[in-house]
Amino acid sequence: MEIPRHWRIKSQRYGLVGEVCPHCEIKIFPPRDVCPNCGGEAKEEYIFSGRGEVYSFTSLYDGPAGFEETTPYTVALIKLEEGPVVTAQLTDLGDASVEIGMPVEMVTRRIRSDGDERGMLIYGYKFRPLGLGPR
Amino acid sequence: MREVAVLGIGQTKIDEHWDKSLRLLAGEAILAAMQDAGVERVDSIYVGNMMSGSANFQQHLGAYIADWVGSRFSESLHIEAACSSGAASFRAALMAVASGEVEVAVAAGVEKMTDSPAGEITAQLATAADADWEVDQGISFVALNALVMRRYMHEYGWQKDDFASFSINAHANGAKNPYARFQEPISLKAYQRAPMVADPINVYDASPMGDGAAAAVLVPAEALQRSNAKPIIRVLGSGAATDTIDVQSRRKPVWLTAAELSVKQAYKQAGIGPEDIDLFELHDAFTIMATLSLEAAGFAQPGQGPRLALDGEITPSGRIPIATRGGLKARGHPVGATGMYQIVEVVQQLRQEAGETQVENARIGMAQNIGGSGSNIITHILGI
């Protein structure tokens, strides 16, 4: 299991820490060294609100290796209110039917486990319908 | 740069080849191409392949394959660009011969997928996407395409059944190709009843995996005699472009910018436009990708790709025939080999050797190979 890889991006996984370009002011997530909009250097931290809306979604009935125990689940593209789009699972859906444009907010959840009882648990962002109470 | 011709082609049937190894498949296609070309030695071999390291525990396919085909001591490289590895190897061979550095080059593509269990292959295919920001969220490669397809349907108002004609055309053509993985036509009813993989993508929207290899021999066109029995197949244009590896970071996820850029380069080189293309072997890994390729290549306005399929314009007798030998959908999609199958099929069409799915008077054909979810796209135009 690639522990350092998951450790490296913990502030993005737990806190949606991205960047704002100091040149063109576009918000960037996930962070990168070169602004995708203007090509300038991008290093200034920016914390996203975690609010956004469903841009597209799909349900997986047969999850890839490592996700078998949580199937079926819904994965979505979420358009954050600051602009960027992120890929994440939807959670806490209850009986709600998912629709494009549905307002959602980021919560921290277990994303996957290694399977064996001493294996690593990976936590990260998922999104749930807006208005379910305190996060 | 000098003009380059495709002198020989070879392919294996796409299947579950339990009795054939990676090198045996690659060797079969390469040796068939060399025999077809009438050459006994080659200077350079480019082997396109996506995942032999994980699926077959074998990397370094350059030396591995060159020795196997009796070309020990030749230059040989393993080229990887996910599902566009095949076209990437063709482009490498093309540039080698065009530059004057190499006289006889082989471009090959091979993928041996049945050596790993299907679940592991699914995870390996997902390595073409972004590990940190896509795959770790539980996404599969099919699911990424489903996200694009649902958004496309939402933006342009298409229904699920509007995509059926892509699959029906591919299977009708694959039924007449002895090298195809699936050789049975399908009905609209079968499409409507097909089980969902990741909605809105069902099994008839998605291409099947398989084992296979395809290859071509490239030489300078100037060396060829016009009196040959076979027409000289020239490479008229080539273009390649990338986009973000992740769908989420694209400015417009329902538009293939890399396809548009690569096809424009290829058109410009060839000095032609979409109106001159007689057939188009596009990358129909999913019906939505066929749609987006047609639009990016200028055959339909943005959002109008399904209209071509619904109007019957994509069949061998239509305005722009696609998947004429079955496409990825029915011929099969042995990922790193697919781009070379497309080239082989365009050559078959231009030689008038495409049997019952022959496009009448085919003189110019285009092949477009897509790596990842639209993140690496390579287009070639061939003509006689």
Side-chain angles (χ1 to χ4, degrees):
Chain A
M1 200 65 205
E2 328 110 287
I3 294 171
R5 186 167 73 81
H6 296 292
W7 172 81
R8 264 197 310 272
I9 55 178
K10 59 187 181 305
S11 58
Q12 282 73 43
R13 287 264 174 83
Y14 305 155
L16 282 181
V17 178
E19 289 168 340
V20 55
C21 175
H23 312 286
C24 71
E25 295 184 356
I26 199 174
K27 311 293 191 300
I28 304 165
F29 190 91
R32 36 168 81 215
D33 287 347
V34 179
C35 173
N37 189 49
C38 72
E41 193 183 24
K43 292 253 180 209
E44 202 170 302
E45 205 172 274
Y46 179 88
I47 298 173
F48 284 80
S49 70
R51 284 184 299 274
E53 62 175 50
V54 173
Y55 184 83
S56 191
F57 64 96
T58 182
S59 296
L60 280 85
Y61 300 95
D62 192 14
F67 292 88
E68 298 92 340
E69 59 180 57
T70 52
T71 52
Y73 56 90
T74 303
V75 177
L77 292 174
I78 308 295
K79 188 163 180 56
L80 300 174
E81 61 183 6
E82 298 90 343
V85 175
V86 297
T87 311
Q89 289 185 32
L90 298 181
T91 188
D92 302 4
L93 286 170
D95 295 330
S97 68
V98 183
E99 280 172 27
I100 289 177
M102 182 171 96
V104 291
E105 63 182 359
M106 178 256 194
V107 287
T108 303
R109 291 285 189 273
R110 184 197 291 187
I111 304 283
R112 60 178 284 188
S113 64
D114 273 357
D116 104 41
E117 61 185 31
R118 278 188 271 177
M120 185 168 59
L121 301 177
I122 299 169
Y123 287 83
Y125 49 77
K126 291 189 184 181
F127 286 77
R128 69 176 188 184
L130 193 65
L132 291 182
R135 280 194 264 168
Chain B
M1 300 283 261
R2 56 185 179 175
E3 195 176 35
V4 176
V6 179
L7 189 57
I9 51 172
Q11 62 182 321
T12 71
K13 182 182 188 301
I14 296 178
D15 216 330
E16 295 177 2
H17 287 293
W18 301 107
D19 56 334
K20 288 179 184 171
S21 67
L22 175 78
R23 64 178 145 199
L24 213 132
L25 287 165
E28 213 175 287
I30 292 170
L31 293 171
M34 289 172 64
Q35 189 176 24
D36 185 42
V39 299
E40 287 178 1
R41 54 151 213 98
V42 300
D43 301 319
S44 294
I45 302 176
Y46 302 90
V47 185
N49 167 271
M50 174 179 169
M51 52 193 199
S52 65
S54 49
N56 319 102
F57 300 102
Q58 179 68 59
Q59 286 282 41
H60 202 189
L61 298 190
Y64 185 68
I65 298 301
D67 179 31
W68 182 256
V69 299
S71 201
R72 190 185 308 172
F73 310 124
S74 290
E75 174 194 41
S76 187
L77 296 171
H78 178 172
I79 293 186
E80 190 271 322
C83 308
S84 61
S85 301
S89 78
F90 187 79
R91 190 166 148 89
L94 170 68
M95 292 193 289
V97 176
S99 73
E101 183 73 17
V102 169
E103 290 302 311
V104 184
V106 163
V110 61
E111 206 72 61
K112 171 71 191 168
M113 302 176 83
T114 56
D115 277 358
S116 284
E120 284 179 27
I121 290 290
T122 302
Q124 291 168 19
L125 286 169
T127 62
D130 193 306
D132 288 347
W133 310 113
E134 293 185 318
V135 183
D136 278 349
Q137 309 304 323
I139 203 125
S140 65
F141 208 70
V142 184
L144 278 173
N145 283 274
L147 292 172
V148 174
M149 185 169 176
R150 187 185 305 277
R151 184 71 200 182
Y152 182 90
M153 290 164 67
H154 172 80
E155 286 195 15
Y156 298 111
W158 295 103
Q159 301 301 308
K160 172 90 184 97
D161 280 0
D162 297 332
F163 294 82
S165 305
F166 289 110
S167 191
I168 292 167
N169 171 62
H171 281 280
N173 295 339
K176 291 161 185 166
N177 176 7
Y179 296 98
R181 173 91 166 82
F182 293 133
Q183 298 180 24
E184 294 284 337
I186 66 155
S187 64
L188 174 61
K189 195 164 277 179
Y191 178 85
Q192 288 166 331
R193 288 178 180 168
M196 251 345 141
V197 186
D199 60 331
I201 290 182
N202 71 30
V203 295
Y204 278 139
D205 289 301
S207 54
M209 45 182 84
D211 303 328
V217 174
L218 290 84
V219 297
E222 66 205 10
L224 302 176
Q225 302 296 321
R226 287 190 178 277
S227 58
N228 278 3
K230 289 174 191 163
I232 297 173
I233 311 292
R234 298 167 197 276
V235 184
L236 305 180
S238 173
T242 58
D243 200 342
T244 63
I245 192 166
D246 51 339
V247 172
Q248 64 184 11
S249 296
R250 305 233 173 104
R251 288 194 180 144
K252 196 171 182 221
V254 296
W255 181 256
L256 293 176
T257 305
E260 182 190 358
L261 295 174
S262 79
V263 88
K264 275 183 178 164
Q265 280 177 36
Y267 284 151
K268 191 176 169 199
Q269 240 176 48
I272 62 170
E275 63 282 1
D276 301 304
I277 302 292
D278 297 318
L279 70 128
F280 183 19
E281 289 304 333
L282 48 65
H283 192 94
D284 55 331
F286 302 94
T287 50
I288 181 65
M289 283 295 131
T291 311
L292 298 183
S293 278
L294 282 168
E295 293 173 13
F299 296 108
Q301 291 297 311
Q304 297 307 309
R307 175 58 52 201
L308 284 172
L310 288 168
D311 291 349
E313 299 289 20
I314 60 167
T315 65
S317 58
R319 154 63 197 100
I320 181 63
I322 65 170
T324 68
R325 311 293 284 149
L328 281 64
K329 180 69 204 77
R331 171 240 293 137
H333 184 26
V335 286
T338 289
M340 284 310 303
Y341 275 95
Q342 295 175 316
I343 295 285
V344 163
E345 291 160 356
V346 169
V347 171
Q348 286 184 317
Q349 287 284 2
L350 300 180
R351 285 179 175 177
Q352 309 290 314
E353 290 174 359
E356 288 180 73
T357 58
Q358 179 65 50
V359 173
E360 217 174 314
N361 298 321
R363 298 188 61 81
I364 299 180
M366 184 158 75
Q368 185 176 80
N369 196 193
I370 303 183
S373 52
S375 36
N376 202 340
I377 305 189
I378 304 172
T379 307
H380 285 102
I381 299 173
L382 277 56
I384 53 173

